[in-house]
Amino acid sequence: MTDQFVVAPMLVALVTIVATLGTRRRLGAQIALSVAGALAYAGTVLVIVRRVVFSATASPATYQLGGWPAPFGITLVADALSAFMLSMVAIVGPAALVFSVSYMNPDEQRVFYHPLFHCLLLGVSGAFLTGDLFNLFVWFEVMLLSSYVFVAFYGKKKHTRAAFWYVVLNLIGSVVMLVAIGGLYAVTGTLNMADMARRLAAPATFGIEVGAVVGLSALLFVVFALKAGLVPFQFWVPAAYRAAPLPVTALLAGVTKKVGLYAVVRLYFTVFGGTELTVSIPGTDGNTVLAFYGIVLLCLATASVLVGGLGALDAASLEGVFAYSSISQIGFIVIPLAIGAASSVPAIQHLGVLAALVYALNHALAKSTLFMAAGTVRSAIGTSRLDDLGGIAARSPALAGVVFVAALSLVGIPPLTGFFGKLLVFDVALRAEAAFGLALLLGGTGLTIAYTTRMWNRAFWGTETPAVSASSPARLQIAVVVALSACILVVGLGFDPVYRFADAAASAATDRGAYIEAVGLSGGEGA
Amino acid sequence: MTAFALATVLGLLFAAGTYLLLRRDLLRVVWGVTILSQAANVYLVTMGGIVEPSAEGVPVLASHGGHVPQTTDPLVQALVLTAIVISFAMTAFALVLTYRVYQEHHTLDLTTLGGEP
C-alpha cells in the first residue's frame, strides 16, 4: 500500500524553501510565498489528519520511497501519533511565521530567514514521519542545522557564544546517536522501526542479545533527553532560547522539543517496549525494557520539574522565565509517560501516553503564545527585563489577556486546554497508585503558580514604568497571539474531538502489531 | 585480527577526540568534535562486518544471478556516506562560527569567554 499524500508536508516545505530562496531579492514576494507555503503546509497536515484519524476508513498510511518494500527501502509512516505531532507543527508554525513577518525587521528577514524557517519545518516533519532509525538521525540533523543558524542569528556577543555551546553539544549528541544506531543495526540486523519491533518481540528467534539492546537504547535515550531538554541535559536550553529570535524560540519550545519526546514515545513504547528482560525492575511491576525506562523517566522528570520551576522563579527576564518553565513543563509531560511505562497494565500505559500527548499539545500552544507575547513586549517596549517592566495590563489589555490565558493554561485552570492535560495526568497517577508521582505533580503545580504569579505581578501589574507608557504594541503581533490564545480556549471548550484524536494517537503508540502491519511486515514479507 | 585492529583504532580515535574536546582552545574543541564524528563513522563501517552475500542482506544481488564473492554489508556504507556528508557540513559550520566568536569576543580561550551567557 502506498499513500503518496504522506510525503506532502515535506514536499511543500521543500518547494517553499526553493521558492523563498529564489525570491530573496524581492522581500514582498518572498514573504507572500513564505506565508502561502506555511498555510499550504497546514493544509497538507489537515489532509493527513483527516485520512489517518477522522475518516470512516481511518488507518495508518505508509509510503515506501522509490517503491522498495519495507525492510529494505526507506519507509514513511503517518499513523495517528505522527499526525498528532504534525498537527502541533501545523498550528504553531504558520502562527510563528506570520508573527515574525511583523517582528523581524526587513533587513534581518532578507538574511535567509524564510528559507531557514521552512527548513526547520521540513526537518521536524521528516522526523515525525520517518519509519527508519537512520532517517530519524538525518531529519534530526536537518532540523538542528537550521536551529543552529537561528541561535546564532543576531550574531552579537552572547548569541555567538550560546550558539557555540549549542552546536558543540548537539554535535556530540549526533555522534552518540550514530554510535547507538550503528550498534542497534549490528545487534538487530535492521534499521526499519517496524521490522525492529517485530524482531525485538521475539529476540530468541532472530538471535538478538537483549542486554546489548538495553545498553544501546539507553545511549539513544541520552540523545532524545538532550533534544527534549530534560534535566540533566537541560543546560543548553535557557541560553539558546534567549539567543534565538523569539518567534523561532516559540517554534523551538513548542515543536522541536517535542521531536525528542516523540522519539521517546515511538521508540520506547512501540519499538523496544515489547522486549522481555530476564530481571525484574525494582519499583515496577513489569520486566520489559519499557519498565526499565519507567524508572529512568521518573527520575529525569522529577529533576526537570524542580530545576525548571526553581530556575523560572529566579529568572530576570520574560524569556528567562518561559525558558526555565519550558524545562519544568517537559517534566510534567514525562511524568505520565514514566507512570505508564512502569506499569504492565495496557490500559494504564495507554492512558499514560494519552495524558502526555494532551499535555504536550497544551505546552505547544501555551508556551509558543507566551514566547511570542514576550516578543511583542520586546519589540514594543524594547526590553523584557522584569525590572524594567510594570503595568502592561493597564497599557495593553489585549496583550495582558493573552499572557493571562496562556499562564492559566500552564497552571491548569478549566476550561483551558491545560486543565484537561492536568486532569489526565492526575487520573493516570491515581489509577496507577503512584503516590510519588502525585506528590511531584502537586509540588510542581505549586511552583508553576509561584513563577507565573511572580512574572505577572512584576511585569503586568503595578505602576507603569516610563518605557511601558511610551509603547504601542504592533497590531499584527497582537492579532497572532490573540488567535493562538483563542486556540487554547477552543481546544479546551471543544475537547471531545481532541480527546478522540489523542486517544487514537496513544493507541497507535502502544499497539505494536498494528504499526508493524501498517508498514507491511505482518507476514515477514515486504508488501 | 582485523576486528582487534579496528577496535584499537576506534578506541584511540574516541580518546583523542574526547581529549581535544576538553581543551581550552575553541579550535581544538572543533577538531575534537570532528575526530569524534570520524570515529563514529569508522565504528559504523565496522558494524556491518563481512558476510556471505544473500538477497536477504543485499537485495540488489537477487537479480544478479550466478556466483558473487564475499561482500561487506552495503547498507552501512550508504549510511556512512550520509553521515560523512553531514559531519563535513557541521564541521564547516562550526569553523565559521568559531571565526565569528573570535570576531565578537577577540579570544578563542574558553575560560575568558565565560560560562553562563
Side-chain angles (χ1 to χ4, degrees), chain A residues 300-366:
Chain A
L300 298 189
T302 311
S304 302
V305 167
L306 297 179
V307 168
L310 293 173
L313 266 179
D314 188 44
S317 65
L318 282 179
E319 298 102 285
V321 172
F322 300 149
Y324 276 105
S325 151
S326 164
I327 297 171
S328 163
Q329 297 292 318
I330 288 285
F332 276 118
I333 299 171
V334 170
I335 291 171
L337 276 185
I339 294 172
S343 167
S344 61
V345 185
I348 292 183
Q349 286 191 6
H350 177 264
L351 194 62
V353 178
L354 172 61
L357 288 177
V358 172
Y359 212 102
L361 175 66
N362 170 50
H363 180 245
L365 291 176

Side-chain angles (χ1 to χ4, degrees), chain A residues 173-188:
Chain A
S174 304
V175 169
V176 173
M177 190 173 180
L178 210 52
V179 167
I181 288 174
L184 279 171
Y185 177 66
V187 174
T188 62

Side-chain angles (χ1 to χ4, degrees), chain B residues 12-22 28-29 31-33 35-36:
Chain B
L12 285 176
L13 277 176
F14 272 112
T18 314
Y19 174 76
L20 284 172
L21 206 59
L22 298 173
R28 300 219 171 129
V29 174
W31 273 112
V33 172
I35 291 180
L36 271 186

Side-chain angles (χ1 to χ4, degrees), chain A residues 267-328:
Chain A
L267 286 177
Y268 297 91
F269 279 80
T270 314
V271 177
F272 301 131
T275 315
E276 300 266 328
L277 292 176
T278 49
V279 288
S280 68
I281 314 294
T284 68
D285 58 352
N287 61 337
T288 55
V289 173
L290 189 59
F292 169 69
Y293 283 101
I295 296 300
V296 177
L297 281 169
L298 195 62
C299 294
L300 298 189
T302 311
S304 302
V305 167
L306 297 179
V307 168
L310 293 173
L313 266 179
D314 188 44
S317 65
L318 282 179
E319 298 102 285
V321 172
F322 300 149
Y324 276 105
S325 151
S326 164
I327 297 171
S328 163

